[in-house]
Amino acid sequence: MPIVTPAREVPLPRMGRWALDVAFVWKVVLTLGLVLLYYCFSIGITFYNKWLTKSFHFPIFMTMLHLAVIFLFSALSRALVQCSSHRARVVLSWTDYLSRVAPTALATALDVGLSNWSFLYITVSLYTMTKSSAVLFILIFSLIFKLEELRAALVLVVLLIAGGLFMFTYKSTQFNMEGFALVLGASFIGGIRWTLTQMLLQKAELGLQNPIDTMFHLQPLMFLGLFPLFAIFEGLHLSTSEKIFRFQDTGLLLRVLGTLFLGGILAFGLGFSEFLLVSRTSSLTLSIAGIFKEVCTLLLAAHLLGDQISLLNWLGFALCLSGISLHVALKALHSKGDGPKPLKELGSNPDLELLLRNSQPEEGDTEEEEYFLAQG
């Protein structure tokens, strides 16, 4: 019987190792850069909304103008990608648009609108903590729609997040019931929103796996969904306000519109930076970065805005973050157990890869259908 000798490991040439080290360092630097870009837009728009609502008391009108700016930039992005790739972008029929996209758009509009509305009453720290409870409602609706299976670990996640939220708001010196109810309602609707969005993205025949296409289709219906709230609560006051329709100073009007337009750029930049981060890494990276972003937001709110956070509030926040971290870890284990998905299952190639990716696919490239769920 012939004796088989084990093959020797051939050491990589020094040049090859150097190239691998450079590639690894470049990937780490690129990931950190994308995380910082995401932090700038995400934290920036939170503080921007709080700052603006101190002097401009029309948050729904502000949100509607942001939606218009996002739609404009989404349309421009689609046009640029179509010109560079010479492939037509997806355009849904009216039947699919109204029956499948409308519920997601309405839930998204209410989530964003109520969130911005709450800044009239609550601090950035209370908003950040309460909004992080959206994971709780996402889990609940995922169980209702059978996107998740009931497990003991999920029950533990729900209990940790709910307990942390209670501890953070208990005897808070800057607690406001009206603002808390608004942002908690936004988190509840956010659970419906992200569940519907995940179901929408999983319908490969619609071809909305690219978030730019999804944003393009969602914004008009979101605008229309918020218009009744605007007409009821802000329409009369806005039409008689000197800052908008009864303006006396053209310079003041241009400054207000320019400030509102800046918020729309931040909102679009947030969605685009999230897509950049997911495309170059994975949805898991976005989820982990989101956890540290909440910590950074609270620290900045306490330092810059003077938000009062007691030891009990910090313990509640830590408890909530532990629940979110456990949820992220479970998602990571579940993704590994499922194995990599073929790229063809995504239904359509996101053409923004022309700006984002190398020629060879990476592990994170197969996770774009989880993009919107990761944002929650």
Side-chain angles (χ1 to χ4, degrees):
M1 192 171 178
I3 300 175
V4 180
T5 57
R8 287 186 181 177
E9 292 185 4
V10 180
L12 284 172
R14 183 174 298 177
M15 201 63 156
R17 282 185 183 174
W18 183 81
L20 287 176
D21 291 340
V22 170
F24 175 76
V25 171
W26 168 246
K27 187 170 183 179
V28 170
V29 171
L30 181 62
T31 301
L32 289 176
L34 292 176
V35 169
L36 288 176
L37 183 67
Y38 163 62
Y39 277 15
C40 289
F41 282 115
S42 183
I43 297 176
I45 197 170
T46 299
F47 283 88
Y48 162 87
N49 287 335
K50 181 61 181 177
W51 166 75
L52 186 60
T53 50
K54 287 182 178 180
S55 58
F56 188 78
H57 303 299
F58 305 105
I60 299 180
F61 176 77
M62 174 187 75
T63 305
M64 291 174 62
L65 196 61
H66 291 176
L67 296 177
V69 175
I70 294 172
F71 177 76
L72 174 64
F73 277 91
S74 300
L76 289 175
S77 301
R78 280 165 51 96
L80 289 174
V81 172
Q82 184 169 330
C83 290
S84 61
S85 63
H86 304 289
R87 285 187 294 175
R89 305 304 308 162
V90 61
V91 178
L92 297 182
S93 65
W94 281 107
T95 304
D96 289 335
Y97 189 51
L98 295 177
S99 63
R100 300 191 179 188
V101 179
T104 306
L106 180 59
T108 306
L110 291 175
D111 180 13
V112 177
L114 293 179
S115 296
N116 290 340
W117 198 350
S118 69
F119 279 115
L120 289 175
Y121 309 101
I122 63 174
T123 61
V124 170
S125 58
L126 182 57
Y127 167 83
T128 301
M129 175 63 197
T130 310
K131 203 69 173 71
S132 65
S133 67
V135 175
L136 187 152
F137 297 109
I138 290 172
L139 284 176
I140 292 174
F141 284 105
S142 295
L143 292 172
I144 293 174
F145 288 99
K146 297 182 179 180
L147 298 175
E148 295 271 2
E149 295 181 2
L150 182 61
R151 302 189 300 272
L154 290 181
V155 176
L156 179 60
V157 169
V158 170
L159 292 177
L160 286 173
I161 296 175
L165 180 61
F166 175 77
M167 290 174 62
F168 190 87
T169 56
Y170 182 68
K171 290 187 177 180
S172 176
T173 56
Q174 295 175 302
F175 181 78
N176 180 282
M177 189 62 203
E178 189 173 359
F180 176 73
L182 283 171
V183 71
L184 190 63
S187 296
F188 175 80
I189 296 172
I192 304 174
R193 165 195 181 183
W194 297 120
T195 306
L196 290 175
T197 305
Q198 184 186 14
M199 296 170 66
L200 183 68
L201 292 180
Q202 287 175 349
K203 297 182 183 298
E205 69 272 12
L206 294 180
L208 292 182
Q209 280 71 35
N210 188 327
I212 295 297
D213 291 329
T214 308
M215 290 164 63
F216 173 81
H217 283 85
L218 283 177
Q219 306 313 305
L221 289 176
M222 289 174 63
F223 187 94
L224 293 176
L226 280 180
F227 188 81
L229 281 178
F230 163 74
I232 295 172
F233 293 101
E234 295 182 358
L236 180 61
H237 299 291
L238 185 73
S239 61
T240 57
S241 172
E242 292 185 358
K243 286 193 174 180
I244 297 292
F245 296 138
R246 298 278 310 266
F247 68 93
Q248 312 249 338
D249 184 359
T250 306
L252 176 62
L253 175 66
L254 293 177
R255 283 195 299 273
V256 171
L257 292 178
T259 306
L260 292 172
F261 187 80
L262 173 63
I265 296 175
L266 288 174
F268 177 81
L270 173 59
F272 192 72
S273 63
E274 288 169 333
F275 179 45
L276 281 170
L277 186 57
V278 172
S279 297
R280 292 300 299 177
T281 58
S282 68
S283 59
L284 178 62
T285 305
L286 178 62
S287 300
I288 295 173
I291 295 173
F292 289 101
K293 183 206 71 175
E294 309 293 358
V295 178
C296 294
T297 304
L298 249 68
L299 291 174
L300 286 173
H303 180 70
L304 298 177
L305 303 180
D307 289 3
Q308 300 173 13
I309 306 174
S310 65
L311 178 61
L312 181 64
N313 298 152
W314 279 115
L315 290 175
F317 183 65
L319 192 64
C320 185
L321 282 188
S322 64
I324 297 174
S325 302
L326 178 59
H327 173 64
V328 171
L330 291 173
K331 275 292 182 186
L333 291 174
H334 182 66
S335 298
K336 283 185 179 180
D338 288 345
K341 298 178 183 178
L343 193 59
K344 292 181 180 178
E345 288 183 9
L346 294 180
S348 69
N349 269 334
D351 291 316
L352 281 175
E353 340 177 295
L354 296 173
L355 304 175
L356 310 179
R357 298 183 184 169
N358 300 324
S359 58
Q360 297 188 3
E362 301 176 5
E363 181 183 354
D365 295 345
T366 62
E367 300 188 3
E368 289 172 6
E369 63 183 12
E370 298 177 5
Y371 161 77
F372 281 104
L373 187 61
Q375 290 187 73

